[in-house]
Amino acid sequence: MDESNDNLKHHCGVAGFFSAEPANLPEKLFYSLFSLQHRGQESAGISYRKNGKTITYKDLGMVSTVLSRYLTLDRHATAGIGHVRYSTRGGNRLENAQPIAVTCNKGDIALAHNGNISNAAKLHDELTDSGSIFQTTSDTELILHMIALSRKKDFYEALMETLNRLEGAFSMVLIHDDSMIVIRDPHGFRPLYIGMKNGVTAAASETCALETLNMTEYRQVEPGEIIIIDAEGQRSSFLNPAGKVSQCIFELIYFARPDSRVFDESVHGTRKRMGAALWKCDPVKGDVVVPVPDSGNNAAIGYAEASGIPFDHGLTRNHYAGRSFIMPTTAQRELAVRMKLHPIRETIAGKKIILVDDSLVRGTTSKILVKMLKDAGAAEVHLRLSSPELKWPCFFGIDIPTREELISNSKSSNEIAEYIGADSVMFLPVEKLKECVNESDNYCYACFCGEYPVKVE
Ligand code: SF4
């Protein structure tokens, strides 16, 4: 475990472009994937269609390192897809980087996937029993095997048959020969948007990736929707319904960028409502509202606005601190956190601090942060979390530690406060969280309550 980063891990991000007239789509992919870098920092890659061939380039590393070559050369293409990855399933190995591109009996296919297939183990067993040899340990490769092995001769029929057998989370972009296909699973776990400008159609996990390219007219890809884009235009159809829509509430709490819209909600606005709701639940009298940057920023603004308590920066984040290694001693762990977050004494000394963050995982970082604030002279530290208590793992694309590691499974709020040295700790109750979003029934809350919208293996 990286002790200096006790946050949940982002999953993946996808982007795709189609242009009937060849355009520099690899460059557009660079900028849109750069905007989605927060969704995965382990690998990046693109596939694009040029002169009847699908070309793929991917590697371990950040977008600026792996894909910067696409800023210097104009590679005109008619379709292109891209991916940034954090390894929720499968290790951080080059062969697991995406897009995964193959040539098979159904044509040239390249696929980029955000999510987790929750019946992957069963499908994997079926495929290996029938002779499939896997090149990767990622669940995404299953989809390509299923399409290739389908008895349906037509690619679209094989694709529909395959998608209707998948369970779990899949927001995907795919190139098939000269077309692009955009797909969102029927539960809609992960976000996906589509827009169009100047004859170029674009899809991306979050709207920030479209707005970076000045594309401000877009819409959400609906749960279960499949959109085929080719030289003849756009056609939309739907997968078989699979129960209730269950969009991941953690996209709004933590994962998505605050300037994005996901699930047709403003991320910034929703987080502010969560902060305001926290204040209303327990209006503790503090001197200053301090966010844990950057994850607590937006909720802290909402808390400060609702309470009238001044907002101020009491912690500075060092954006150049990368991943650190496992630290064997408490002193080293403290130093690793100090490398990333450091107190601003004049905001803190002698004050009752309302410290706002998005969630509490193991409590290790919070314990160090509270000590840091008290060492800098804070009179009191009251920790406020804009999510409910995290108690269950996720099977739909988020890397949540085991139940034993999650602090809320073994300790009450008062016990957590005692453990991390805070004067009080409060979580946003699930019912209050639901009041912060429109159509609250269309969300997944399984990591708080253990009620999974899909049967998990
Ligand atoms: S279990 Fe939690 S993290 Fe996973 S999809 Fe549901 S709300 Fe999101």
Side-chain angles (χ1 to χ4, degrees), residues 43 58-60 85 91-101 134-138 140-141:
S43 68
K58 55 190 177 180
D59 205 348
L60 300 179
R85 179 167 196 268
N92 180 25
R93 296 152 50 178
L94 179 56
E95 60 265 34
N96 286 335
Q98 296 189 28
I100 302 179
F134 286 88
Q135 306 271 343
T136 76
T137 53
S138 132
T140 307
E141 192 186 355

Side-chain angles (χ1 to χ4, degrees), residues 124-191:
H124 191 275
D125 288 351
E126 272 178 39
L127 288 163
T128 42
D129 282 351
S130 54
S132 281
I133 299 168
F134 286 88
Q135 306 271 343
T136 76
T137 53
S138 132
D139 54 355
T140 307
E141 192 186 355
L142 288 168
I143 300 164
L144 296 167
H145 282 265
M146 289 168 75
I147 293 169
L149 287 172
S150 168
R151 290 182 185 281
K152 308 272 185 201
K153 292 271 183 288
D154 177 74
F155 168 77
Y156 296 104
E157 287 181 24
L159 176 68
M160 291 299 265
E161 180 188 76
T162 299
L163 296 175
N164 279 321
R165 291 201 61 208
L166 302 180
E167 289 172 10
F170 47 97
S171 280
M172 300 193 282
V173 286
L174 183 152
I175 298 176
H176 171 247
D177 292 340
D178 291 314
S179 64
M180 180 171 84
I181 304 170
V182 177
I183 301 158
R184 189 164 171 228
D185 70 78
H187 294 279
F189 280 107
R190 301 284 146 228

